[in-house]
Amino acid sequence: QVLLVESGGGLVQAGGSLTLSCAVSGLTFSSTAMGWFRQAPGKEREFVAAISRSGSSSYYADSVKGRFSISRDFAKYTVHLQMINLRPEDTAVYYCAAALNSGNYYYTPRSQYEYKYWGQGTQVTVSS
């Protein structure tokens, strides 16, 4: 019954911006830390960003720090990933994920093994 649906992916030129959205249903949104991962062809899935259940804490991979921002909208049960100054190396399928454990208000899981539910992914392509 848990469903995570990403949207907002597409083609953008280097230096451009995109905002991804993840609509969440079937779980207690306010009790669940959320994250974004990405996977490029031939590469492992890698952590991008996480936000605690309360929205009070966030954590970013070094590769996106200062360029990406994760947020959550409790009224709409939605998680966003705002991406600016995109680079070709950001090209990947981006996945939204919901954590296994509730954690505390500041828990920001960074391993894929700390997540239980995953969206279908949305393609982000950054051209030169």
Side-chain angles (χ1 to χ4, degrees), residues 46-69:
E46 66 172 340
F47 170 78
V48 176
I51 188 166
S52 65
R53 71 185 195 190
S54 65
S56 297
S57 183
S58 59
Y59 191 87
Y60 301 91
D62 288 343
S63 59
V64 307
K65 195 173 299 180
R67 300 188 298 118
F68 290 13
S69 179

Side-chain angles (χ1 to χ4, degrees), residues 12-30:
V12 65
Q13 293 183 0
S17 302
L18 280 175
T19 297
L20 306 182
S21 298
C22 174
V24 180
S25 61
L27 54 74
T28 305
F29 186 65
S30 62

Side-chain angles (χ1 to χ4, degrees), residues 65-102:
K65 195 173 299 180
R67 300 188 298 118
F68 290 13
S69 179
I70 188 171
S71 62
R72 61 196 300 163
D73 185 331
F74 290 94
K76 296 183 177 180
Y77 288 8
T78 303
V79 182
H80 301 283
L81 184 69
Q82 183 175 329
M83 307 182 292
I84 64 171
N85 193 24
L86 284 161
R87 305 164 180 169
E89 52 263 43
D90 294 319
T91 295
V93 177
Y94 283 71
Y95 298 92
C96 177
L100 275 164
N101 302 312
S102 296

Side-chain angles (χ1 to χ4, degrees), residues 31 53 101-107:
S31 297
R53 71 185 195 190
N101 302 312
S102 296
N104 58 38
Y105 274 22
Y106 310 104
Y107 173 58

Side-chain angles (χ1 to χ4, degrees), residues 4 6 37 45 95-98 112 115-120:
L4 279 59
E6 300 100 333
F37 290 75
R45 183 177 298 179
Y95 298 92
C96 177
Q112 63 179 314
Y115 292 84
K116 184 175 183 179
Y117 302 107
W118 297 82
Q120 81 287 352

